[in-house]
Amino acid sequence: MSSRNSDHYIARLGEKLERARLSQNISQANLAQQAGISARTLRRFESGEGGTLDSFIRLLMALKLDGNLDVLIPDSTIRPMERTGKTKSERLRASRANKKTNNAQRETLASHNQGTSASRGEPRWKWGDEQS
């Protein structure tokens, strides 16, 4: 398990917000006013104490960094392999386990264990040094 927790990421985001603010030569009071939050809230963010998601997004918008939000969670609607299928439609919900598929998988495993391929009735493949 990772030794990192949410506090680690909150602290890193606070540091990055402070560096972005300073690189744009904006005071804490000015940025807080532009973002519509209190100066205390901004100081809490920059010190790694965190705050609300709304305040965080407001800060990103004031710093003109809100375009980076799209990178946080990839667009799951773009799945090229699914679009090449017969239906070519977007998935709307997760599928349940199909009983027929599970039975077919069990039959395939059973036939491999018996030494034949399920689909062709051919003998199981063997290494060159194996004996029949």
Side-chain angles (χ1 to χ4, degrees):
M1 189 166 154
S2 176
S3 62
R4 295 181 180 174
N5 58 25
S6 62
D7 293 336
H8 168 81
Y9 291 106
I10 291 170
R12 285 190 54 202
L13 285 171
E15 292 169 5
K16 289 182 178 192
L17 275 173
E18 183 178 21
R19 284 196 304 262
R21 177 182 61 79
L22 293 173
S23 72
Q24 294 182 30
N25 196 25
I26 302 172
S27 70
Q28 283 183 329
N30 192 6
L31 179 58
Q33 183 181 10
Q34 289 177 21
I37 63 173
S38 71
R40 170 70 181 130
T41 300
L42 175 56
R43 284 193 298 274
R44 288 184 65 222
F45 266 108
E46 289 185 353
S47 68
E49 294 175 40
T52 67
L53 182 58
D54 179 64
S55 296
F56 179 68
I57 292 172
R58 287 171 180 254
L59 285 167
L60 291 178
M61 290 169 60
L63 290 167
K64 296 180 179 41
L65 296 174
D66 53 314
N68 294 327
L69 289 172
D70 292 333
V71 178
L72 289 176
I73 302 174
D75 186 2
S76 61
T77 61
I78 301 172
R79 293 183 296 257
M81 291 305 293
E82 191 169 280
R83 290 183 182 201
T84 60
K86 294 177 185 175
T87 60
K88 296 183 182 179
S89 63
E90 297 295 329
R91 182 180 293 274
L92 300 176
R93 63 182 73 144
S95 60
R96 278 191 261 171
N98 187 344
K99 288 183 181 179
K100 290 180 183 178
T101 304
N102 290 342
N103 289 338
Q105 289 172 346
R106 281 190 212 110
E107 289 174 11
T108 302
L109 286 173
S111 66
H112 280 286
N113 290 337
Q114 293 172 359
T116 61
S117 173
S119 61
R120 295 180 297 269
E122 298 171 354
R124 190 182 79 186
W125 186 86
K126 295 181 181 184
W127 289 99
D129 60 351
E130 288 184 32
Q131 294 185 10
S132 301

